[in-house]
Amino acid sequence: MRRVSVLTVAAATTIIAIAATSFAGSAQAQAGKVRGVTKTEIVIGMHTDLSGVAASYGVNSANAMRLRIDEINAQGGVHGRKLRLIVEDNQYQVPRAVQAANKLINRDNIFLMAGALGTPMNNAVLPDQLKAGVPNFFPITAARQMYLPFHRLKFAGGSTYYDQIRAGIKWMVANKGSKQICTLYQDTDFGKEILEAVQDQTKAMKLPLVETATNKPADTDFTAQISKLRAANCDLVVMGTIIRDAIVPYATARKMGWNVDFLGQSANYDQIVAGAPGGATEGLYTMAGTILPYRDTASPTVVAWMDRYKAKYGNDPNIGAVYGHALMDQLIFALERAGKDLTTDKLITAMESIKGYRDIFGGPVVSYGPDKHQGSDESFLFQVQKGRFVMIAGPVNYGS
């Protein structure tokens, strides 16, 4: 998910420059010892949205991470060390994210960053975070930059937007007979990643990319874009949109009597989309890298987790909570494997040794290696049916 910051580019540049100096100083000050690790605790940092446009992701993912930490700490922690999570509000704004990361790294002396929300926020923070020697584990974004270019301190858990779209197009062509492929995408870095995936997959399958249309993240009228795509005789529209701008164009097409298939990706995979009023998204296809559980079909383990979450926080867990639990559980697994004499190098070695890990929700099998820091490129295909996401296929990827 992405949104342009309300602060000026000049202000963001100034903050980033100041932070870069602080990050470098911190790295020098920490030479010769393991930052964020004592005999009794491991300090984990997180910058996320607690009060902005993506707060439903940020608040719930942070809460789920805390819940998992509380559970492991109640059992004595990891090799006798308690985990401590420090969460800072980035308000889904780049300058705020840089400020938050600067505090976490230099004042709070974190061992690693986990669950940081937002592609532009991670991209702004990462260069100096990595210079400071602070790993970035399982950021909540499906952008390829979270593991590419390869860096020993960057780990991403699941499939990217690019992976998902390519796999989704392949499935739709094979199973729905799609031949006239079009795309509607945000005129942002996020949207352009979707466009690149559509271009690459249609080229690989020797199919035409018939038409394209763009929108701004704040657009509310999609009549012109839908009319343009309809005139091109598309039979599949691939969407590089987020929550609201996935609902509106799909609903617009249906109101116009245009009933071709639409395919989204994990930025659309939110119950807000499936449950849109009046069944506005009924029939929409969406790719995602994980599974959103529903209580009546969930396993006893997941139901118990849902109950614990609601008892502690007073609301049902959403997809953000699923992300938070899954990433923290995987991190704890790696910390346990790293051993009592914890260092960054030993944690990286432990991560790279993980093969065949799977979360409690039935997500894809996750494996890493010395030259592989993306846990999985597999995705699941869902369709909105009667107000909920129903799995149609998965796991799938475009290479298989």
Side-chain angles (χ1 to χ4, degrees):
M1 300 174 63
R2 293 163 171 80
R3 185 173 292 269
V4 177
S5 170
V6 298
L7 299 185
T8 66
V9 172
T13 303
T14 301
I15 292 170
I16 292 170
I18 294 170
T21 303
S22 299
F23 283 145
S26 174
Q28 294 171 0
Q30 293 300 321
K33 72 177 191 178
V34 182
R35 58 178 300 135
V37 178
T38 69
K39 292 181 179 179
T40 59
E41 74 172 5
I42 302 167
V43 184
I44 299 168
M46 179 189 195
H47 61 87
T48 192
D49 187 0
L50 302 179
S51 61
V53 296
S56 66
Y57 286 91
V59 170
N60 286 279
S61 59
N63 283 344
M65 291 167 69
R66 289 190 185 100
L67 179 62
R68 184 67 185 95
I69 286 173
D70 289 347
E71 291 171 350
I72 195 68
N73 284 348
Q75 299 168 18
V78 178
H79 296 295
R81 294 187 179 97
K82 301 294 180 70
L83 305 187
R84 178 160 64 95
L85 177 65
I86 304 175
V87 181
E88 293 293 330
D89 186 6
N90 68 23
Q91 299 178 359
Y92 212 72
Q93 298 178 24
V94 167
R96 300 296 186 192
V98 174
Q99 289 176 322
N102 187 34
K103 172 186 176 293
L104 291 166
I105 292 170
N106 296 296
R107 288 175 52 189
D108 300 315
N109 197 33
I110 60 172
F111 177 53
L112 58 88
M113 196 82 74
L117 177 68
T119 302
M121 297 80 205
N122 275 280
N123 285 342
V125 166
L126 270 174
D128 294 301
Q129 178 185 325
L130 299 178
K131 286 179 186 177
V134 178
N136 201 51
F137 277 20
F138 317 128
I140 300 180
T141 162
R144 286 176 291 173
Q145 298 98 314
M146 299 306 105
Y147 74 96
L148 292 176
F150 180 88
H151 193 289
R152 65 188 297 269
L153 298 179
K154 296 196 311 190
F155 286 87
S159 63
T160 63
Y161 304 121
Y162 180 88
D163 297 329
Q164 293 163 13
I165 288 300
R166 290 199 63 174
I169 292 172
K170 182 177 179 180
W171 190 94
M172 297 295 287
V173 170
N175 294 277
K176 297 280 290 181
S178 303
K179 295 179 181 179
Q180 298 284 102
I181 299 171
C182 297
T183 183
L184 169 66
Y185 63 95
Q186 283 189 3
D187 187 16
T188 62
D189 288 345
F190 159 71
K192 290 170 185 175
E193 181 163 344
I194 305 303
L195 173 63
E196 185 177 346
V198 176
Q199 291 171 330
D200 288 350
Q201 190 59 31
T202 52
K203 181 179 180 180
M205 302 186 78
K206 296 181 172 56
L207 291 170
L209 175 52
V210 177
E211 187 59 274
T212 65
T214 62
N215 67 282
K216 301 295 183 185
D219 284 351
T220 58
D221 185 351
F222 286 80
T223 304
Q225 291 95 325
I226 296 300
S227 296
K228 179 183 181 183
L229 298 177
R230 186 179 189 180
N233 294 317
C234 311
D235 58 19
L236 174 64
V237 178
V238 181
M239 294 199 295
T241 55
I242 304 180
I243 293 175
R244 185 195 53 76
D245 61 344
I247 297 171
V248 177
Y250 186 83
T252 299
R254 294 307 186 249
K255 287 178 182 177
M256 293 170 63
W258 194 39
N259 295 314
V260 300
D261 292 325
F262 278 63
L263 174 70
Q265 29 55 49
S266 59
N268 308 150
Y269 188 56
D270 190 298
Q271 185 54 30
I272 294 171
V273 174
T281 55
E282 188 73 10
L284 173 67
Y285 290 95
T286 298
M287 298 296 296
T290 189
I291 295 175
L292 173 65
Y294 292 96
R295 186 181 184 86
D296 60 343
T297 57
S299 70
T301 298
V302 173
V303 169
W305 169 76
M306 297 171 86
D307 289 343
R308 294 195 304 274
Y309 186 94
K310 187 168 185 177
K312 181 159 186 150
Y313 299 113
N315 59 277
D316 293 318
N318 69 354
I319 190 64
V322 170
Y323 295 147
H325 176 86
L327 74 88
M328 183 51 64
D329 191 69
Q330 192 174 157
L331 177 55
I332 289 170
F333 182 82
L335 288 168
E336 290 173 336
R337 181 168 286 199
K340 186 172 181 61
D341 185 18
L342 181 62
T343 65
T344 299
D345 287 342
K346 288 185 177 181
L347 180 60
I348 291 170
T349 299
M351 280 294 305
E352 292 175 345
S353 74
I354 293 175
K355 311 293 181 188
Y357 173 91
R358 201 166 190 182
D359 64 41
I360 65 172
F361 308 105
V365 174
V366 172
S367 300
Y368 301 90
D371 59 353
K372 180 181 182 293
H373 283 194
Q374 181 194 21
S376 173
D377 64 357
E378 293 181 332
S379 308
F380 301 89
L381 176 65
F382 299 87
Q383 186 181 35
V384 177
Q385 297 179 10
K386 297 180 180 179
R388 65 164 63 185
F389 290 109
V390 175
M391 187 185 297
I392 301 300
V396 296
N397 63 45
Y398 62 88
S400 61

